[in-house]
Amino acid sequence: MAATGHQRAIGLAPDTFGNELYDIVNNADPVAFDDPNGKEKDIMVTGATDHIEDIGAGVKERETVYVPPTEQLSFFKAIKRYKYAALLCFMAGLSAWCDGYEQGMSGSIIALTGFVRQFGVLGSNGKYALEPLNVSLFTSMKNVTAVVGGITMSFPVDRFGRKFCFLFLNVLMIGCCITEMYAKTPAQWIGARLIDGFAVGMATSFVNVYVAELAPTPARGALMGFYAFFNNAGGFTGGVGLNIVQRLPSDKWRNVIYSQWVLIGLALMGALWIPESPRWLVGKGRMEKARKVLTRVYGNCEHYDIEVELQRMVEEVEYAKREKSIRASGSYRDIVRGTNFLRLICSTLPYHFQAAVGVPIISIYSSYFFGLVGLPNPFDATVATGVTQIVSCVFAIYLIERIGRRKLVLMGGVGCICCLIAMGMAAKVNPTGTANLLVALACLWYMFFSLSISPLGYIYMSETSTVSLRAKIAATANIFCQAMSFAYNYIVPICLAAPALGTGGTVLLFVATGSCVWILIFFIVPETKSRSFTELDELFARKIPAWRFSTTETAEDKMRKETDAATSGVAPLPRDA
């Protein structure tokens, strides 16, 4: 098969991207959309090579229109240039605040005296206590409906759009809060957890998908990190609220629930303000609406060409269609075909790493855990770890684009595992005499976790999938991770109460699970920093090993360097030079 003109121009062999992908070249179909100046543009998708290395070169408007590759900027320069887009991504992340608050509050509220009296049973010693089974169900049952939410919400996310799902998410959080306000039996409290779980599964399947589709590539990872930031902020405010409420009369324990209305109000205002995802609109063929959204978001940005980006989105959608996906949607069978299956694994592992490396015991059951090791006021430990979370997450937003995703998640994972080893050994030797040391180690664990695994779990879930399967892959990854979280959350109280394990043995259990997932991430999960979605399509199609994603030269790299060389008169250097 002869090389295309674009391949010959830059010296690429016809099989550069693999024979399977190259065979698409002969199956081109034009896609037309209207130019604001009244001229119709035909976008000729000529296959993998032209899609990746020459996006826009097929635009026919009497003469070829050159479309440059994605520009690479530092995080702060990208935020400065794309202020309004950053603000919208920030507002989209507000929805995670309610989720984080619910997670932190519902996991630690079981240590409040008033809660125990409401949902516990009176023992022979004259004291109220929660039944261990109920403690497990209070936390783990939300993971069941999170799976349901992840399965069912991928359809409305693709069918009705991202903005619709933001609004529906807030309706669910309102329902959860009302149920908590009036719950009087364990079954009713579990009902609130079921609603909350459905909302969590729904949110993780589309919130970061929306941010990934709206954000500028140079700051995409950092802006997606806002989801983790607000999730951690929610956990912190929940811990502060519990610390305040536990100092009040025990019958005022529901005050910590009432305070959620402020967060729900903020999230609802954000959901009403943000626009629909332009990539979703392009996938549905609503080109003029997508153009209006891009104009609203990026119209005042210097060096941003609305028509270029609109065309790039068309190319991404058309490429995904040619990978056996239905227009802008795809089927669940497609996520296990070809490289999509590898991309599903890459989306799943970092998110699962959050639970595997100790979130159930260090975060969700933190107050319960610190109470068992003899800390007089376990809520103080929750506040201390929450402060560490917030501060670390702020730095993470910068480091995600500075250091990169892969290095950060691997380094953070090593730090978390080392902290767990130290905590497990200390708790085994002298659990009640090392309570303060355990709190300090937990804060150190939170620092490593919030700097890396916490935001990157959500980022990878949205970045590594192909455009038309993004919602479905995110939903499938969420289903697996929530199912595993259900198992972790269910067994933690049982393990803590088991004489053979206790506090130390339970912590060391997560050393084993975390280490296994870390090894898989090292060999499978690639670097995605500063890569456009078209570059990621190319790298996955070429089956580049995970540890070479950051140094492998793509067609966009070659175009970028040739452009720089033509401007400066200096010969281009390889990417890893």
Side-chain angles (χ1 to χ4, degrees), residues 341-343 345-347 349 406 518-527 540 544-547 549:
F341 184 62
L342 174 61
R343 298 173 85 154
I345 296 174
C346 293
S347 298
L349 284 175
R406 178 177 162 85
W518 188 94
I519 293 171
L520 292 174
I521 289 174
F522 179 84
F523 286 104
I524 296 175
V525 177
E527 178 60 75
F540 276 110
I544 301 299
W547 52 90
F549 258 56

Side-chain angles (χ1 to χ4, degrees), residues 116 119-122 128-138 186 368 493:
V116 174
F119 299 106
V121 294
L122 185 63
Y128 283 90
L130 296 172
E131 295 183 355
L133 178 60
N134 284 339
V135 173
S136 295
L137 293 176
F138 285 162
Y368 187 61

Side-chain angles (χ1 to χ4, degrees), residues 160-175:
F160 301 111
R162 289 31 168 165
K163 185 177 176 71
F164 167 82
C165 293
F166 272 104
L167 296 172
F168 184 54
L169 174 64
N170 281 276
V171 171
L172 289 176
M173 296 309 300
I174 290 171

